[in-house]
Structures are given as structure tokens and as C-alpha cells.
Amino acid sequence: MRKTLSSVCLIAGAAFILGMWLGPSTGWAIFAIALLIMVLISGRQHQKIKLWVRDLNAAPPVSAGPWDDVLAPIYRKIKQDRINLQTLNYHLDGIMMAAEALPDGAVTLDKAMTIQWCNQTASQHLGLNLATDQHQSIFNILRTPEFAHYAHQKEWEQPLLLHLSQRGRERALLLQLTSYGMGQFLLVSRDVTQVEKLETTRKDFVANVSHELRTPLTVLLGFLETLRDLPTESLLVEQRMRYEQMMLEQAQHMQAIVSDLLTLSTLESSPSAENTAVPLNYVIEQALQRVQALSNGQHDFETHIDDKLWLEGAETELASAVGNLLTNAIRYTPKGGTITTSWFMNDDGSATFSVQDTGIGIAPQDIPRITERFYRADKGRSKATGGTGLGLAITRHVIARHQAELTIQSRYGSGSTFSIHFPKERVRFATI
Ligand code: ADP
């Protein structure tokens, strides 16, 4: 304002002096022209400012005359606000990314329990789609009465365990509600499906072990009580010997179960055993000698073994896996059957150990389950031949520890082939 006034005064002074010299009408004319020029300049500056206002991110127009004093602080303020906004956005992005990276699901709810925001994990846990479910009531998503009852509590000291089924997949979720801010709520979800499964497996395992040991133990106790209660002279020597033989068998069965359980627990709890170059042909031949003795001439044996092919691994573990497959082959192959053992290198450099039998075979629905602990496809035959139901579970562990793969091909009634495929990184060649 002051600048404009002094400019007008300056023009008026100059016009007055020129008017004195050139005549008053010329002075007034100069004064009027100068004022007009001033108005035009001011209009142009106004135009420039109007353009700048449309894009405040750009620097303000230079030489905006008297407006310079106003525009410079406004621009400085805008610049500072922009920096503050960027910093805030940066922090906000960081918080959002941290919320997305949470291993747990998080859903923010307003006072009326409608969904405001959720992270990716919560979307997966609860089947939420933020685009369509935002501003929906959480009770439309979690429709179970348990959740409604839980959410309507005043305080949530304990989480709620909820079992949900989404697209055929069962999930066990732990949900915890917390209030925060001005009457908002945070719903945290944690997937405990795996933990629940492990807990069930552990309980089943304890029950199975007890059951497996209880049967032979009951038989053993029965015989011992009979022997104790009967007068010595009332038993024939042959009868006593038969009883003792049966007791011995039950005790040996319990010993076999305990020994397999110890092997399993060692495999599960110990880190990978020390790896050495193992002459697998030698390990296979030793196992074959043992099973041939067990077979007692009842089976035919065919072998195709590459003597030069060795394997980097843990010898005792590999011996146990090879022994289990061969023992099973004779136990589940009736008299007169053929057992074919092969150990060879594949075209891609990997190696395969396989045992093929012409035995009883396995029904398709049992194949995926026979490596589970204590799972038996043919209970009668397994028990009759002293099976513990743990052989293939042990084999599966050994195979996993050698980054190998087990394939089972079988036709019920006509035989099975169990093959272990070892990766080429483990293949070695005979050094002697
Ligand atoms: P088990 O001690 O009962 O043999 P395993 O874990 O070695 O336990 O095997 C699990 C089950 O798989 C067996 O009970 C049997 O029903 C089945 N099975 C294993 N190998 C064979 C095979 N070669 N032929 C037919 N069934 C088999």
C-alpha cells in the first residue's frame, strides 16, 4: 500500500514538474498515462498471481511488484507445510508398512464396530476385502454367536478361539479385541491352526504309545499272573515253555516299540547327523543279508545295484531307511513273492534306491497315510509280523534329512514299489 502510494506521489510530482514546463494539460495527460500504465502493470501482476494460485507448488511469479512482500512469506509457509506433510506421510507410510508386516491380522473398528481398515493378514484370516467391506459391521463378517457374545463384553481379558471355514479350508483363529483412542477398537487375529494340529498330534501320539504298549503289557501280565497263581506241578513243561515264549515275544515287541520311539525322538530333536561319503551298495547288501535270513528262503530276491554309486549322508540313518523298506517288503509279501532291489543313477545325475515287491499292495486311500506314526494299512499282518507301525515314519524323517523324496506306487493285491530319490548334490562315486 505504502509502495503504491509513494509510486502515485512520484508520478504526480513528475507530472507536476513536466506540467510546469510543458503546460498544465500536458502535465495532466502525462499523469493520466502514467496512472494507466500503473493500472495495466498491476493487472498483469494480478494475472500472474492468479496463475500461480492454480499451482501453489510452483515458485511464485518474480517481480510481482508490491505483491512480492506478500507472496514470499506465503510461499515459504507453503514450502514448510509441504515438507511437514511429506515427513508426516513418511511416518504414516512407515506405520502402515509395519502394520502390514505384522504376522498377526489387525482390523480397526469405529465406535459402532464398523470396519475402518485392516491389514493383509487380517484379510486372509477373516476373508475380508477392504474395497467392499470397509464401513461394514464386523458382525456381518464374523457371524458366529460366540464372536457376538465376546464382542459385547465390557472388557476382553482373554482372546476368543474361533474355528472358521473359508473356501473349504478350516482355520483356528485366536481373536483379541482391545479399545483404543476415542472409543475405537482394534481386533487382532492370530492363526493357531498349526499349533492346534501339533497339540492334537501330541495328544494322539501319547494316546497311541500308551495303547501300543498296553496290549503287550496286558498279555505279559496275564501270563505272569497265571504262572504265579497256578501250582508249579499243574503245568506241563511244554505249556510253561509256550507261555514263556509268548511272554518273550510280547517283551520283544515292547522293546521294538521303545527302540523305534527313541530313534524317532533322536531324529526329531537332533540336528542333521554328520555327513560322510557312504558306500550305499555295501549298506544295501548288508540289509539284504539280514532280510534274506528273515525270509528264510520264502522269497526270491533280485538286485540291480550300481557298485560305483555312493551317497553323501549319515550312514546309520541311511541303513535304517534301507532296512525298513526291505523288511516291509518281505513282511507284506506272501511266500513265493519276489523282492527287487535297485540302486542306480538317473539321467539328470540324481540317484534312486527302490524296493519292489509282489506282495499284498496298499489301497489308494492308505498310501498318503502310511508314513504317519502308528498308521497301519494292514493291522493284522503288521502285528503278526512284529511291526511297530513306526518304520516308515522313521524312514520319512531320514529321507527329509537327506533332502530326498519318497514315492510309493502300489496296486492293492499285486505289490508295491517304494523309491527314495536322492538329489544329485548328494551323489558321490566310489573312491576304492
Ligand atoms: P509296520 O511296522 O506296521 O510295518 P511301517 O511304518 O513300516 O509300520 O508301515 C506302515 C504300514 O504301511 C504297514 O502297517 C503296512 O500296512 C503298510 N506297508 C508298508 N510297507 C508295505 C509294503 N511293502 N506292502 C504293503 N503294505 C506296506
Side-chain angles (χ1 to χ4, degrees), residues 325 328-329 331-332 357 360-362 370 372 375-378 382 386-393 416 418:
L325 295 190
N328 279 351
R331 283 175 43 218
Y332 299 104
D357 64 53
I360 60 169
I362 309 159
I370 56 169
E372 287 174 19
Y375 189 86
R376 294 173 173 103
D378 186 335
S382 165
T388 60
L390 295 170
L392 288 182
S416 319
F418 285 75

Side-chain angles (χ1 to χ4, degrees), residues 32 34-35 37 39 56 62 75-76 88 90 92 104 111 124 129 131 142 144 158 165 196 269 276 336 347 367:
L35 277 183
I37 291 169
V39 168
L56 289 172
V62 277
Y75 182 61
R76 265 201 306 278
L88 266 176
Y90 175 77
L92 192 67
D104 291 342
K111 269 190 194 122
Q124 286 163 7
N129 178 356
L142 292 170
T144 66
Q158 297 292 328
S165 168
E196 231 188 28
S269 55
T276 50
D347 291 344
I367 294 180

Side-chain angles (χ1 to χ4, degrees), residues 355-356 361-362 367 407-411 415-419 421:
V355 180
Q356 185 182 11
I362 309 159
I367 294 180
T407 57
I408 305 168
Q409 288 165 306
S410 187
R411 280 188 63 187
S416 319
T417 306
F418 285 75
S419 309
H421 306 282

Side-chain angles (χ1 to χ4, degrees), residues 90-121:
Y90 175 77
H91 288 308
L92 192 67
D93 284 352
I95 291 168
M96 294 305 271
M97 278 194 284
E100 282 298 344
L102 276 177
D104 291 342
V107 186
T108 55
L109 305 165
D110 69 3
K111 269 190 194 122
M113 293 244 171
T114 59
I115 298 164
Q116 301 297 299
W117 169 88
C118 73
N119 66 1
Q120 199 57 35
T121 318

Side-chain angles (χ1 to χ4, degrees), residues 93-273:
D93 284 352
I95 291 168
M96 294 305 271
M97 278 194 284
E100 282 298 344
L102 276 177
D104 291 342
V107 186
T108 55
L109 305 165
D110 69 3
K111 269 190 194 122
M113 293 244 171
T114 59
I115 298 164
Q116 301 297 299
W117 169 88
C118 73
N119 66 1
Q120 199 57 35
T121 318
S123 300
Q124 286 163 7
H125 285 176
L126 308 175
L128 277 174
N129 178 356
L130 205 54
T132 51
D133 296 330
Q134 203 174 25
H135 308 307
Q136 287 269 343
S137 165
I138 189 71
F139 299 110
N140 289 343
I141 309 293
L142 292 170
R143 290 167 176 266
T144 66
E146 296 101 301
F147 179 73
H149 180 256
Y150 175 74
H152 287 118
Q153 283 173 202
K154 285 207 179 76
E155 277 172 15
W156 303 281
E157 279 175 13
Q158 297 292 328
L160 168 76
L161 178 64
L162 209 61
H163 291 95
L164 295 179
S165 168
Q166 282 157 14
R167 291 184 217 105
R169 194 188 152 178
E170 293 289 328
R171 241 189 233 278
L173 290 179
L174 264 191
L175 299 178
Q176 174 76 60
L177 265 170
T178 322
S179 55
Y180 75 99
M182 308 278 279
Q184 286 135 299
F185 302 102
L186 176 69
L187 178 67
V188 176
S189 62
R190 175 169 295 177
D191 192 338
V192 289
T193 317
Q194 213 48 33
V195 179
E196 231 188 28
K197 248 190 212 154
L198 282 176
E199 183 59 14
T200 315
T201 313
R202 192 190 62 80
K203 280 185 191 151
D204 287 352
F205 182 59
V206 173
N208 282 337
V209 171
S210 317
H211 177 77
E212 293 285 334
L213 289 174
R214 199 179 55 192
T215 315
L217 204 57
T218 312
V219 178
L220 197 64
L221 272 173
F223 282 124
L224 282 171
E225 277 165 9
T226 312
L227 287 177
R228 185 197 59 191
D229 296 342
L230 278 181
T232 330
E233 59 282 2
S234 68
L235 268 183
L236 296 174
V237 178
E238 300 87 70
Q239 256 178 328
R240 174 177 287 277
M241 278 172 67
R242 216 180 60 238
Y243 282 6
E244 282 171 359
Q245 178 58 31
M246 283 164 151
M247 289 196 300
L248 189 69
E249 277 168 16
Q250 296 303 323
Q252 280 170 341
H253 185 53
M254 285 197 292
Q255 193 184 37
I257 294 176
V258 172
S259 155
D260 276 359
L261 282 172
L262 284 173
T263 309
L264 254 185
S265 114
T266 314
L267 286 175
E268 279 175 358
S269 55
S270 67
S272 263

